[in-house]
Amino acid sequence: MALQFLGNPPLASDQQPRPFSPAVRAGDFVYVSGQVPADEKGEIVAGGIEVQTRQVMQNLSTALALAGCTLADVCKTTVWLQDARDFGSFNRVYMSYFGEGRPARSTTEARLMVDARVEIDVVAYKPMA
């Protein structure tokens, strides 16, 4: 089965397309590229970790939908926080999106490539019909 590259590369604030697919289906798994708190114009939303985490979760949901998935299908997440002191506030928002079905997760503190407080990528499992 061939890989399915889903969606158009996102535009950044300079209006140039980024060199990656928002999501890629590989059989029953869907890999979503790291999402930052960018709005539909490619601008990083203003606000602290809670506002930015909500935007990232919205962006993840949008990318997952390209493959017919939702956050309920996510089995693994990787999180990068710009500042480890945001961990508690981040967790409160993050947990509100997953309920009882909490995916496996890795979290680290790292300087991000854009001026954002958080980036998340996910892997979802959704058997093909």
Side-chain angles (χ1 to χ4, degrees):
M1 180 170 298
L3 296 176
Q4 294 176 313
F5 300 94
L6 306 169
N8 294 319
L11 297 179
S13 57
D14 62 5
Q15 298 306 303
Q16 295 299 309
R18 294 300 177 221
F20 58 85
S21 296
V24 176
R25 180 178 273 284
D28 293 340
F29 288 92
V30 175
Y31 297 84
V32 174
S33 293
Q35 299 295 307
V36 295
D39 62 18
E40 61 280 345
K41 295 183 227 167
E43 301 285 338
I44 300 299
V45 297
I49 188 65
E50 293 176 356
V51 169
Q52 289 198 1
T53 300
R54 284 186 196 92
Q55 183 66 50
V56 168
M57 299 307 287
Q58 180 180 331
N59 294 349
L60 287 167
S61 294
T62 299
L64 285 163
L66 294 169
C69 295
T70 69
L71 289 170
D73 300 309
V74 172
C75 58
K76 173 71 169 88
T77 69
T78 305
V79 178
W80 295 270
L81 296 175
Q82 185 227 20
D83 188 337
R85 292 173 292 187
D86 286 338
F87 189 64
S89 297
F90 161 78
N91 258 343
R92 280 190 290 283
V93 174
Y94 173 91
M95 289 186 339
S96 72
Y97 284 86
F98 288 108
E100 295 301 314
R102 296 186 180 145
R105 182 178 89 182
S106 301
T107 305
T108 189
E109 179 183 46
R111 198 169 125 221
L112 302 178
M113 300 306 293
V114 295
D115 189 21
R117 303 193 67 79
V118 58
E119 180 174 351
I120 304 173
D121 72 26
V122 302
V123 178
Y125 177 73
K126 179 89 173 204
M128 297 179 69

